[in-house]
Amino acid sequence: MSNQVRRVIKILSWLAAGNAMTTHEIMNRLRAEDEEYAEVTLRTIQRDINDIEGSGIALMSRNDTGQKQYYLQRNARIIQTLSHTENSALAE
């Protein structure tokens, strides 16, 4: 599994648990919790957030503290069932 996939899974699990986090908070938590991410950059986290948004996951944001916080709605679906066409494309 790639480093980005592992990071994104961690980020989504934190957001799915009801946390609203800025990119700085995400970066700092990754660095603190996993030595593998000791040198992860803010720009890397920003790219991860962009990729999450581009994936179709309903990532929400708000600007309550002067900084943009990202969060998921409580009933957000992170994993969606793939259609037959998508499954066929993956099998090729």
Side-chain angles (χ1 to χ4, degrees), residues 14 24-42 45:
W14 296 333
H24 281 91
E25 290 169 332
I26 293 168
M27 178 187 69
N28 291 334
R29 186 165 176 182
L30 279 169
R31 287 177 173 180
E33 289 189 7
D34 195 329
E35 190 174 298
E36 177 181 356
Y37 302 116
E39 296 184 27
V40 72
T41 65
L42 185 59
I45 301 306

Side-chain angles (χ1 to χ4, degrees), residues 26-67:
I26 293 168
M27 178 187 69
N28 291 334
R29 186 165 176 182
L30 279 169
R31 287 177 173 180
E33 289 189 7
D34 195 329
E35 190 174 298
E36 177 181 356
Y37 302 116
E39 296 184 27
V40 72
T41 65
L42 185 59
R43 183 65 189 120
T44 296
I45 301 306
Q46 292 166 339
R47 281 192 293 268
D48 290 345
I49 293 294
N50 286 338
D51 288 344
I52 291 169
E53 290 175 323
S55 74
I57 294 173
L59 188 62
M60 308 296 288
S61 64
R62 63 180 176 226
N63 197 351
D64 291 341
T65 63
Q67 294 183 346

Side-chain angles (χ1 to χ4, degrees), residues 66-85:
Q67 294 183 346
K68 195 172 195 178
Q69 293 180 315
Y70 296 93
Y71 65 98
L72 292 171
Q73 292 182 331
R74 290 209 183 272
N75 60 352
R77 292 186 57 178
I78 296 174
I79 299 174
Q80 298 177 357
T81 305
L82 296 174
S83 70
H84 173 69
T85 305

